[in-house]
């Protein structure tokens, strides 16, 4: 068996995990979910979901990955709980399905970078979206996006993923700060900030059944939880550093990026009166591209924005490909390049459906159904099955005392599953309702 790879440095692991977390979820979904779910009211519930439910859940995946030093499927067997392999397999399958439509949206981003150069979307935002979002152009851009993803993953953990994310994450941060600063100069900035940041709690009360599952789904998705990605990434840890410490850095950086994206997007939407327009897979692209057509220097700003979005999308899509790739590489001792190309090619084929107009269906299925099921399974596993080993692994290399790790255990046993079950119930109702009403077809 070939020697298993590891990250070069602790920072390398953190960059890769932040890269996985920071993605289309932060810069594309987050501001628009927030806008359409009541603004600051949604933001409050989302932040609670990230820190109270997402953060402890990330620790579950880190513990399983570092303890087993295996991909998300084999990890359960390695730890001696072969029956639970299904939990990892569900996640890895979900990762693969997500990659297929994520790459289609990544392809849209490429088309919008092109559109920023040519000026193609200026003055014709919805026409441009119609032209690039489905059909052959979408399939071609999807192919390009997945080819880049495969290229990075094929190079391996340290030379591919670590190197790419070490470059992309700082670039995203710097460019987003610039965009947010520019947003502050727009005439609508004050109105945008106020919708973004002053919560109206009656909005939460009257929209509970949609805000809660949206905020929870968004929290899991943005932190890359449930799909075994964080298990795989933690399995490449060579040393025992503090998992809670690393996880806190990752969660905070991911939140900073989402909030910054809000600071960039809300002033633009307010300046062009599109603040509370309804969302859908495409409205974000249409609203923003429309806005770039109306503000000064919009073409340049649009270019920078879509480049940031491309980096964020790529640093996440490589993690979605790494989850299934690591499974095959670990269990078959096959060449990583061949595996990455093979899995990427199949994901490309599956992605042809979303590239012909079914992004919404794929997205909602993953958000409402697969994500909560996958998270529920690993939480039950860590809390009730591997509990002592989990607590022991969490304590290694960290300064957490027994009191703190015990609180974590009970939190994972009781609070996380209850929150996820509520989310799953509301998600099934939501997705089922949409299916029956024919919203996707
Ligand atoms: N977190 C990424 C985003 O916000 C998407 C993502 C990458 C993901 N890997 C994941 C989501 C694993 C769930 C599970 O865009």
């Amino acid at each position: 068996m070939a020697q298993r790879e590891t990250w070069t440095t602790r920072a390398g692991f953190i960059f890769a995990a932040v890269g996985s977390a920071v993605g289309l979820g932060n810069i594309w979904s987050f501001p628009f979910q927030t806008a359409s779910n009541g603004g600051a009211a949604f933001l409050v519930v989302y932040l609670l979901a990230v820190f109270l439910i997402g953060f402890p859940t990330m620790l579950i995946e880190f513990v399983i990955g570092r303890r087993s030093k295996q991909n998300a499927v084999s990890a359960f067997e390695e730890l001696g709980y072969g029956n639970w392999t299904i939990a990892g397999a569900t996640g890895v399958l979900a990762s693969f399905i997500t990659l297929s439509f994520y790459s289609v949206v990544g392809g849209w981003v490429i088309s919008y970078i092109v559109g920023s150069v040519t000026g193609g979307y200026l003055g014709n935002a919805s026409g441009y979206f119609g032209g690039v979002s489905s059909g052959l152009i979408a399939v071609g851009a999807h192919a390009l996006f997945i080819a880049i993803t495969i290229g990075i993953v094929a190079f391996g953990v340290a030379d591919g993923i670590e190197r790419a994310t070490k470059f992309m994450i700082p670039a995203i941060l710097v460019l987003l700060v610039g965009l947010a600063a520019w947003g502050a100069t727009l005439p609508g900035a004050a109105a945008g900030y106020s919708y973004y940041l002053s919560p109206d709690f009656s909005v939460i009360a009257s929209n509970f059944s949609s805000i809660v599952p949206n905020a929870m789904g968004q929290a899991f998705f943005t932190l890359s939880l449930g799909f075994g990605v964080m298990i795989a990434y933690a399995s490449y840890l060579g040393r025992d550093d503090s998992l809670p410490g690393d996880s806190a850095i990752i969660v905070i950086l991911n939140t900073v990026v989402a909030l910054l994206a809000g600071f960039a997007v809300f002033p633009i939407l307010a300046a062009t009166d599109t603040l509370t327009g309804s969302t859908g897979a495409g409205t974000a692209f249409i609203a923003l591209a429309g806005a770039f057509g109306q503000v000064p220097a919009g073409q340049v700003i649009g270019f920078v924005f879509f480049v940031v979005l491309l980096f964020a999308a790529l640093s996440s899509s490589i993690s979605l490909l790494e989850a299934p790739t690591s499974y095959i590489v670990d269990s078959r001792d096959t060449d990583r390049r061949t595996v990455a190309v093979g899995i990427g090619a199949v994901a490309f084929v599956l992605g042809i459906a979303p590239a012909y107009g079914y992004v919404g269906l794929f997205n909602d299925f993953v958000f409402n159904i697969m994500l909560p099921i996958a998270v529920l399974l690993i939480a039950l596993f860590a809390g009730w099955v591997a509990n002592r080993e989990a607590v022991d692994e969490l304590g290694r290399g960290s300064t957490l005392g027994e009191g703190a790790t015990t609180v974590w255990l009970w939190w994972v046993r009781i609070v996380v599953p209850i929150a996820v079950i509520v989310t799953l119930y509301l998600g099934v109702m939501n997705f089922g309702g949409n299916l029956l009403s024919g919203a996707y077809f």
Side-chain angles (χ1 to χ4, degrees), residues 354-401:
Y356 272 89
Y358 297 108
V359 166
L361 172 69
F362 275 61
N363 181 73
D364 290 2
F365 177 67
V366 164
F367 253 75
N368 291 311
I369 315 282
M370 295 215 82
L371 211 44
I373 289 179
V375 171
L376 182 61
L377 290 175
I378 58 161
L380 293 177
F381 172 77
W384 296 100
V385 181
N387 47 60
R388 279 224 242 109
E389 278 171 280
V391 165
D392 177 62
E393 188 62 33
L394 184 67
R396 273 162 173 258
S398 93
T399 51
L400 288 190

Side-chain angles (χ1 to χ4, degrees), residues 251-299:
V251 171
I252 289 170
L253 273 177
N254 180 65
T255 305
V256 165
V257 170
L259 293 176
L260 272 175
F263 277 105
V265 167
F266 276 88
I268 304 177
L269 297 183
T272 55
D273 265 334
T274 38
L275 206 48
T276 54
S278 76
T279 63
T283 18
F285 281 91
I286 296 171
L288 270 177
F292 291 140
Q294 294 174 45
V295 295
Q299 206 171 342

Side-chain angles (χ1 to χ4, degrees), residues 4-354:
R4 208 163 181 278
E5 294 183 81
T6 55
W7 305 109
T8 331
T9 60
R10 179 181 183 189
F13 162 65
I14 293 176
F15 272 121
V18 171
S20 172
V22 168
L24 294 169
N26 303 57
I27 302 173
W28 176 55
S29 311
F30 167 75
F32 288 89
Q33 284 254 22
T34 307
S36 67
N37 281 295
F42 176 84
L43 182 60
V44 171
V45 181
Y46 166 78
L47 290 175
L48 289 174
V50 163
F51 286 98
L52 295 181
I53 309 295
F55 173 63
T57 304
M58 183 179 285
L59 289 174
I60 299 175
E61 294 207 22
F62 283 177
V63 159
I64 296 175
R66 192 175 71 180
R67 185 81 162 190
S68 66
K69 301 265 188 288
Q70 283 293 314
N71 64 83
V73 181
S74 323
F76 295 89
E77 228 162 83
E78 179 72 26
L79 296 174
Y81 306 99
N83 289 339
W84 283 83
T85 303
I86 185 77
T90 307
V92 170
L93 179 68
S95 181
F96 173 77
I97 296 174
T98 304
L99 174 63
S100 74
F101 80 86
Y102 203 86
S103 169
V104 171
V105 181
W108 296 354
V109 177
I110 295 178
S111 294
Y112 273 84
I113 293 179
V114 174
S116 306
V117 175
T118 62
Y121 58 69
L122 299 174
N124 182 18
S126 53
Y128 190 79
F129 183 75
V132 301
S133 63
S134 68
L136 275 183
I137 296 187
V139 173
H142 160 51
L144 180 57
F145 184 88
I146 215 158
I148 304 173
T149 304
I150 293 170
I152 299 173
V153 171
F155 269 102
V157 172
D159 293 339
I161 300 175
E162 185 172 338
R163 250 209 288 162
T165 50
K166 238 183 215 166
F167 158 75
M168 288 193 276
I169 296 304
I172 292 169
L173 278 169
V174 170
L175 294 175
L176 264 185
V177 169
L179 284 173
W182 168 83
T185 67
L186 290 176
Y193 296 151
S194 122
Y195 183 68
Y196 184 31
L197 301 173
S198 353
D200 174 352
F201 289 100
S202 67
V203 173
I204 303 183
S206 50
N207 297 285
F208 187 80
S209 70
S210 62
I211 287 187
V212 168
N214 285 337
M216 288 279 292
Q218 178 66 25
F220 289 137
F221 190 81
T222 190
L223 294 173
S224 295
L225 300 175
F227 296 174
V229 164
M230 293 304 186
I231 295 180
Y233 275 15
S235 77
Y236 300 125
L237 282 168
R239 315 197 327 236
D240 288 346
D241 288 311
S242 164
L243 292 177
D246 288 2
S247 181
I249 297 173
I250 295 159
V251 171
I252 289 170
L253 273 177
N254 180 65
T255 305
V256 165
V257 170
L259 293 176
L260 272 175
F263 277 105
V265 167
F266 276 88
I268 304 177
L269 297 183
T272 55
D273 265 334
T274 38
L275 206 48
T276 54
S278 76
T279 63
T283 18
F285 281 91
I286 296 171
L288 270 177
F292 291 140
Q294 294 174 45
V295 295
Q299 206 171 342
V300 178
I301 299 296
F303 179 78
V304 175
F305 180 85
F306 289 117
V307 167
V308 170
L309 203 51
L310 180 65
F311 284 164
L314 278 172
S315 67
S316 298
S317 65
I318 54 183
S319 75
L320 290 165
L321 179 57
E322 179 60 24
T325 299
S326 64
Y327 166 51
I328 308 286
V329 170
D330 281 344
S331 55
R332 302 271 150 85
D333 201 14
T334 339
D335 173 49
R336 162 178 283 275
R337 283 176 200 204
T338 318
V339 176
V341 172
I343 296 176
V346 183
F348 167 74
V349 173
L350 182 62
I352 291 176

